[in-house]
Amino acid sequence: MRATLKDIAEEVGLSVSSVSRVLNNTGRISTEKRKAVMDAAKRLSYTPNVNARELKKQTSSTIGVIIPDVTNTFFVRLLKCIDHRLWEEGYNIIFCDTDESVEREMEYYQLLKEKNVAGIIVSPASRSMIYESETQNINCVFVDNEPYMTEKPYSFVSINNLQASMELTQRVIDAGYRDIIMITGDLDETSSNQRLTGFQNCLRDNHMECSQDKIYFGDCHYKSGFEIVERLIENHNLPECIYAHNNVEAFGAYAALRKHGVRVPEDVGLVCFDGEDPMSPQGLSITGIVQPVEEIAEAAVDMVLNNMKTPGKYSRKLLPYQFLDGQTIRNKNE
Amino acid sequence: MRATLKDIAEEVGLSVSSVSRVLNNTGRISTEKRKAVMDAAKRLSYTPNVNARELKKQTSSTIGVIIPDVTNTFFVRLLKCIDHRLWEEGYNIIFCDTDESVEREMEYYQLLKEKNVAGIIVSPASRSMIYESETQNINCVFVDNEPYMTEKPYSFVSINNLQASMELTQRVIDAGYRDIIMITGDLDETSSNQRLTGFQNCLRDNHMECSQDKIYFGDCHYKSGFEIVERLIENHNLPECIYAHNNVEAFGAYAALRKHGVRVPEDVGLVCFDGEDPMSPQGLSITGIVQPVEEIAEAAVDMVLNNMKTPGKYSRKLLPYQFLDGQTIRNKNE
DNA sequence: TTGTACGCGTTATCAG
DNA sequence: CTGATAACGCGTACAA
């Protein structure tokens, strides 16, 4: 068994409260007894029981982080940045990977509450009802994607997906592409939704047709991007350019193209969000919009911490994004 | 404030213990009072305080997972698999990314103990002294890399790195490569160490020279692999084949080669451990040894759980690895 | 079937 | 300067 304050107290013949005072540097204690306590603590290799302490003090040093898929390069970088910032502030993370499942997300959410977390940073899955079930105000910051249908106020940090998507689409058009399809995610995800809307808006603005058969629905997995594109190839239905709503589906799409000997960008263009892979074996980056992961993480952490100080104060932040001029489209005008 | 058992008890005019019994389905309670309690619990949106419960019951449902770098595809997959298995078993994870820092690892370790985790799964950084500082027996399973210099027994799961490295090297030689260099990690890491030893052993077995200038020391980061290879290129000192001890440095190496227009595998070969990137944009995999991530994760989880039941029972497991015939070396004999 | 009393490990208040 | 005592939220042996 682990040593407790009581063990130390008995060891040195003092009261538990005195031992506590020594170990917390609170209150006045004679130097000799102090030394005795410190020695005993070391001897018994005492470690405080944080759970007991936080139960007593009604505090918590744990933050829950819920993300849909940690193997997605965007989310894993988000996780790492959040972890680093929180560590500096003396908090640590209960890690929750939902595999894009709303049910699992909900279960994790309940669990985090039971575990008494000081706050939650969540990149919600589609149709996330996390927040709706809530009666009391829990310190919850949403990232990347907004909760599904709620009248309740909440904190949120992301980029302006609508504007970013329009800008990206315009760049593709400016490069001379006309026949563009989009692989989108679940439209109940606000980020996917806005990216699709931005795509359609931009086509309309350019007086280009925007029929429904240019929209393909993926599920945020590699396999889905792969299969959609493979089907396009088999049906001899490849467009000039493929716009995937996120990096994972773009990677899947790329793999399908490569498998069938379709060259990028020579034969077909490919763009997406967050296609920058700093670890990419060949240093290849997919042209598109890049979200400022570090800044998003920092903002999310700040929001959670601020919410702890002044609960019920919600904020909303849309950070500037960047256009990454990668190697997956070419200028067809030249 | 969150509702407690006491709140419910007052609400329905019962004792706290009766309420507890209802909510835990323990002991006999009249159906009407049971219903009253359930209603009140729902009305007050009661959630149990797990910390208090576990403090009382002297249990814990949390496992600490310490890894050196979550952006490494090997570790992130390990993390995800561990999370999934633990979730099934009713545990969750406190996430600890040490950035390859021993100091940080140690701090995390202390913290996990203070947080009362039921066990720890750790892929230790080089010269990890985690374990040595320990007087009592903590439920700690090592993965991938063994603790540095200790007489104490411990649980461990990995592959046979020595044998795997010899096999990989032999394959490279069999493919006709003669001038091979190795990018290794810190030799106090047992995995790096064994991979290097395997490399050297195999060279010797083939009566090939194995001078020190064939060994380059990286630090497990992308940048290090990149810089080492870039320097080789600038010094016109490229070998026939580069053997990187892990995937991240291999990716760095690949990027450097690509940047300078060196073709793989036409101009130079490249092999490593865990070079399989299921998400790789172009579906390209680096030839080499692949560790069975899922099996390692499962074994680690099993060990932690078993250690909870029968403490002090250590086990050691080396799982079968695979050779991945990727696209980064060619047969020079043909 | 229900309530009382106690303790998990800590901190804080109040006496002395 | 030090030591009882209570309380955080919960579960359980014991008593009724």
Side-chain angles (χ1 to χ4, degrees), chain B residues 83-95:
Chain B
D83 183 48
H84 276 44
R85 279 288 292 133
L86 282 180
W87 170 262
E88 292 168 359
E89 302 288 338
Y91 292 86
N92 42 55
I93 290 179
I94 291 188
F95 168 73

Side-chain angles (χ1 to χ4, degrees), chain A residues 197-214:
Chain A
T197 307
F199 172 66
Q200 293 172 318
N201 284 359
C202 186
L203 290 189
R204 247 193 308 277
D205 290 350
N206 287 270
H207 310 293
M208 291 165 60
E209 99 175 291
C210 182
S211 57
Q212 280 303 315
D213 60 343
K214 299 204 171 227

Side-chain angles (χ1 to χ4, degrees), chain B residues 17-18 21 28 30 33 56:
Chain B
S17 43
S18 295
R21 277 189 274 260
R28 259 150 287 279
S30 72
K33 309 214 167 185
K56 171 64 187 168

Side-chain angles (χ1 to χ4, degrees), chain A residues 148-160:
Chain A
Y148 177 68
M149 291 204 328
T150 181
E151 295 301 320
K152 299 183 184 171
Y154 52 88
S155 287
F156 179 62
V157 52
S158 181
I159 62 168
N160 186 332

Side-chain angles (χ1 to χ4, degrees), chain A residues 100 102 125-128 145 148 183-194 196 216-220 245 249:
Chain A
E100 312 271 2
V102 224
S126 167
R127 285 175 180 266
S128 167
N145 179 31
Y148 177 68
I183 299 177
T184 181
D186 193 320
L187 295 188
D188 292 322
E189 258 184 60
T190 54
S191 55
S192 292
N193 197 311
Q194 290 192 18
L196 175 60
Y216 294 82
F217 289 87
D219 64 1
C220 286
H245 74 110
E249 304 223 46

Side-chain angles (χ1 to χ4, degrees), chain A residues 80 83-84 87, chain B residues 65-70 75 96-110 122-131 145 148 186 189 219-221:
Chain A
K80 182 147 184 161
D83 183 48
H84 276 43
W87 170 261
Chain B
V65 174
I66 307 180
I67 53 177
D69 178 20
V70 73
F75 290 121
C96 311
D97 184 312
T98 66
D99 254 339
E100 312 271 2
S101 149
V102 224
E103 293 78 22
R104 185 123 172 225
E105 182 180 286
M106 197 62 190
E107 293 177 50
Y108 262 129
Y109 184 69
Q110 293 297 340
V122 51
S123 178
S126 169
R127 285 175 182 265
S128 167
M129 299 301 282
I130 268 190
Y131 208 54
N145 180 31
Y148 178 69
D186 193 320
E189 260 184 60
D219 63 2
C220 287
H221 287 94

Side-chain angles (χ1 to χ4, degrees), chain B residues 192-210:
Chain B
S192 291
N193 196 312
Q194 290 193 17
R195 290 173 193 177
L196 175 61
T197 307
F199 171 67
Q200 292 172 319
N201 284 0
C202 185
L203 289 189
R204 247 193 307 277
D205 289 352
N206 286 269
H207 310 294
M208 292 165 58
E209 97 176 293
C210 182

